[in-house]
Amino acid sequence: MYSFEVDKPDSVDAAVSALQVEDAQALGGGQTLIPTLKQRLASPSRLVSLTGIAEMKGVSSADGVVTIGGGTPHATVAAEAASAYPALAALAGNIGDPAVRNRGTIGGSLANNDPAACYPSAALASGATIVTNAREIAADDYFQGMFTTALDEGEVITSVRFPVPDAANYQKFEQPASRFALVGVFVARFADGVRVAVTGASEDGVFRWSEAEAALSDNFAPEAIDGLSLSGDGMISDLHGSGDYRAHITKVMTQRAVRAAG
Amino acid sequence: MPKDSGIGASTKRREDVRFLSGTGNYTDDINVHGQAYVHFLRSDVAHGRINGIDTTAAAAMPGVVRIFTGADFEGIGGLPCGWQVTDRHGEPMQEPGHPVLAQGKVRHVGDPIAAVVADTYAQARDAAEAIEVDIEELPAVVDMKAALDEGAAKVHDDLKNNLCYDWGFVEENRDAVDAAIKGAAHVTTLELVNQRMVANPMEPRVAVGDFNRATGDHTLYTTSQNPHVIRLLMGAFVLGIPEHKLRVVAPDVGGGFGTKIFHYAEEAFCTFAAKAVNRPVKWTSSRSEAFMSDAHGRDHVTKIELALDADNNFVALRTDTLANMGAYLSTFAPSVPTWLHGTLMAGNYKTPLIYVNVKAVFTNTVPVDAYRGAGRPEATYQLERVIDKAARELGVDPIALRRQNFITEFPYATPVAVEYDTGDYNATMDKLEEIADIAGFAARRAESEKKGKLRGLGVNCYIEACGIAPSNLVGQLGARAGLYESATVRVNATGGLVVMTGSHSHGQGHETAFPQVIAEMIGIDESMVEIVHGDTANAPMGMGTYGSRSLAVGGSAMVRATEKIINKARKIAAHLMEAAEADIELKDGAFSVAGTDKSVAWGDVCLAAYVPHNYPLEDIEPGLEETAFYDPSNFTYPSGAYACEVEVDPETGKVSIERMIAADDFGNIVNPMIVSGQVHGGLAQGIGQALMEHCIYDDEGQLLSASYMDYAMPRADDVPFYEVDHSSCTPCTHNPLGVKGCGEAGAIGSPPSVVNAVVDALQSAGKNVTHIDMPLSPSRVWAAMQG
Ligand SMILES: Cc1cc2nc3c(=O)[nH]c(=O)nc-3n(C[C@H](O)[C@H](O)[C@H](O)COP(=O)(O)OP(=O)(O)OC[C@H]3O[C@@H](n4cnc5c(N)ncnc54)[C@H](O)[C@@H]3O)c2cc1C
């Protein structure tokens, strides 16, 4: 770790202005950023901790939409979204280990957009809205490839709004070492169609599997995609599995998610 | 009735109180007043020529005490290798130098180039980043086969090539074995990889060097399994410090698994630098550093051929292995693929003709050395896999094929130079079949199929040579050290005992088990015995702990020393009771005169030894302290039969271990709970190897699995509740306790049964899969199913 200053503002406004300092960086739960700092892979001059900002915390639900504060830890989502959006709560409850879930936040996860992270699939499949200090961004516009998002420098995710689907499920096939998603598939069935978002698999980060969406919108049953297949090209190929393997697992997980969503 | 103390009791581990309450004293807990910290600048390329190192800017950075490079170690010894292997042609192995800090070239990612000593770790690290190293990258030698090609880049320019040795064993049998294979009714051939592993003890390595200018004494605190060996190797061969001026302390050590046997550059550096900068110097490895500087394990590529006659009797076995040494020879590296591997190739079977060829290869990777089981898992894996394959090819029951070929008469001299003193392989197999309920497997398979899972059953046997070993034998085999063990038993005036043992505990539970033995011998409470280990200033010269040798060799030394104590105490008791020595009996902590009601308590005899007012001073000296060195006459040969049941998800290839059963024969057992714990840990490591763990380099010699994000360690939910049994017992015939050693069995015995089970599961679904290389990760199993 290199040395840095730490700020702990208590409002979004104060955080946003603190982030104007050159090389300042937001600190959520630190579950990604702190290990990065320890390995000296980043050298911010100042960390602006978001954990003291009450307005960025908590889960609320109204009119078919679940809203989660950008600074809400995974464990809180697992507990408090359980009745309003069970599939999302289950996803949150299976991220990392208890320490990670009690520190790591939804805002941090979406800002980081790790290609193997879980939340991006939920946001994309739900058609969520990412709310920042400056604007609202539709999930379809937000994810722009591995570790890349629509966020500007110094922009803070203050909350995320999830329209609650009629049925949904997340299936995570774990990478054996990190237990991040080797492939994770979030399936969400809305009145106007089905959305399928896949994380872990693609070199372009989280993506929607549109052929599966079309087939499942016609017939929300595992067999509906029997005839479909994904290509291994453009899929991540590493020591845990080839692109072909990930393509195959994407289909298996999609079918399982559909079955589980019922 | 289970006993509640002494030999055979499951006494709770007294050391766990401090380990579990955070009050252990690990090396990183040791801070010496005024200490400085060292950070090693390590190579980020696998192979390169060092054209220059500029430390000027770095040396001027805040807090920097001094920066060392290879030049500071010129004229100083390199890290020695403790075992010399002679090749097939009678030539000694090629033995390259191993400088403390790189000289001329770097040879693996992680090779230390420079060491920055500074007031704080952070300052040392900052300064290391300011060191300018001019490295000309050279082609990396990674693949073993390619390393042996004519014209391959050489890891060591001063050697002929990358071949460390070409070992044949038993060389005289080579032609006979080949002929027998040619003429056999059936030959089963299998090519397999025993993948490279990282030991990953929970506690990373640490070293603290201290130098006392007033006395000229050096002290090294280090995470070691064998402090005396480090003192000898480092003192005599690297730094030229006589042993009476060098103390090595290995306090609580948080796991070793072999990787803390070896003498490492960082230890020598901290000892050397403490004198050079006149301040204590401390190094604590990060986990990332551990991945690229702790010796790795396994890494064998093997072809094995098993020949059978028309009646399915094993008639000959040949195995050809490439064994990776990495970039340098770690302390015991040459012995692992040879004497710890070739000598076990008979396994539990009476195969009359065996030939083992091993080519050890230098590559631009971290050195490879002993890792839990060391050579024996590699032998067991290939043998038990090829037998399984043979059974499937011949359409016979794998258990029956094994039983048919079991060695049943002991002692048994194998064709690979060792003599098994005792064993009963049918007994452990009987036990296994009973626990495993093999007959009920078909029903369990049907249940799994209902859930859409493929169920498989795999069985294997193992034999290992533990209690390493007779010094005269290992000396002939190339060991450059003796392999006895020592103990000093010191009785205090009021009857308590302190045992100073050369064995070292880094999780094994010596502090609990060793007192059980003495308590049994004398008839006193276990709490009256204290075990001291891990400090060369206290314990007599001992060889440390590895190869499941502590109780068999170290425990035997303690028994011998305690016998001397009892003999002397008996003389004192005879004097006190004015009786003949021959009439004195020791029972329940008191000496009595046979046939009388006269007795004197243990404590009173001890007091008399130190307050010798009424004492046979003409015949014996006062005091009660004895030392014994025990050198065994043979290895011990634990053996067992293991079974594994798996479920394979045919859609994803994910393997789940449903049952893991171990039936072992460890001879006599001092503490059954500790033995079960040792087997459990070994099984976890064996399952880790079979399914998950894999240390992988890319073609450039970059370590891909360099952290827990990519190196998959087994976690609690990856393993089942184990079913272990060690009721089969053929006591070792040649040590006083009749014990054999149990520390490595689980890791040796489990991988073949896991792989056999997965192959069984896939074949049950009609897949033509005869082998999958470990680790059997979901993607590999799935790929194998695709054909
Ligand atoms: C052992 C372990 C296992 C894990 N397993 C999983 C898993 O299975 N699945 C999974 O999805 N994730 C997993 N994670 C990652 C975890 O979910 C992290 O919490 C998450 O990636 C980052 O969230 P954070 O709040 O900790 O962010 P930080 O680490 O604090 O920050 C990450 C990045 O986001 C930025 N940032 C943080 N908050 C905001 C905000 N509100 N607005 C804008 N930018 C922000 C930071 O500047 C930084 O660039 C794991 C992590 C660990 C350590």
Side-chain angles (χ1 to χ4, degrees), chain A residues 14-97:
Chain A
V16 170
S17 59
L19 283 166
Q20 301 309 309
V21 179
E22 194 176 340
D23 292 333
Q25 191 171 0
L27 175 67
Q31 297 304 296
T32 296
L33 187 50
I34 300 290
T36 313
L37 296 178
K38 280 184 171 172
Q39 292 184 351
R40 297 191 156 202
L41 297 173
S43 51
S45 61
R46 176 176 293 260
L47 290 183
V48 180
S49 168
L50 307 176
T51 51
I53 305 175
E55 58 188 294
M56 280 180 60
K57 286 195 177 164
V59 178
S60 64
S61 146
D63 304 330
V65 174
V66 169
T67 304
I68 298 173
T72 312
H74 311 327
T76 305
V77 176
E80 296 181 10
S83 56
Y85 195 168
L88 181 67
L91 173 149
N94 197 28
I95 292 176
D97 49 47

Side-chain angles (χ1 to χ4, degrees), chain A residues 1-2 38-40 173 175-180 239-242 244-245 248-249 252-253 255-256, chain B residues 122 125-126 129 288 649 651-652 654 692 696 704-705 708-712 715 717-718 778-779 782:
Chain A
M1 223 178 252
Y2 300 103
K38 280 184 171 172
Q39 292 184 351
R40 297 191 156 202
F173 191 77
Q175 193 257 57
S178 71
R179 294 198 172 179
F180 273 68
L239 50 106
H240 305 291
S242 63
D244 286 344
Y245 182 66
H248 166 76
I249 293 296
V252 174
M253 291 301 123
Q255 290 181 314
R256 288 183 184 182
Chain B
R125 231 177 136 178
D126 286 343
E129 285 179 13
S288 311
D649 180 339
E651 287 187 319
T652 63
K654 190 170 161 60
M692 306 179 73
I696 306 181
L704 297 180
S705 48
Y708 293 138
M709 292 300 280
D710 286 305
Y711 188 92
R715 303 178 209 195
D717 61 354
D718 291 311
S779 61
W782 180 78

Side-chain angles (χ1 to χ4, degrees), chain B residues 117-133:
Chain B
V117 178
D119 290 338
T120 69
Y121 269 128
Q123 289 169 333
R125 231 177 136 178
D126 286 343
E129 285 179 13
I131 297 175
E132 284 180 34
V133 189

Side-chain angles (χ1 to χ4, degrees), chain B residues 168-192:
Chain B
F169 181 67
V170 174
E171 192 57 26
E172 296 78 64
N173 288 349
R174 185 181 169 108
D175 294 338
V177 168
D178 284 348
I181 290 175
K182 249 193 209 106
H186 184 87
V187 179
T188 297
T189 304
L190 183 59
E191 291 186 36
L192 51 82

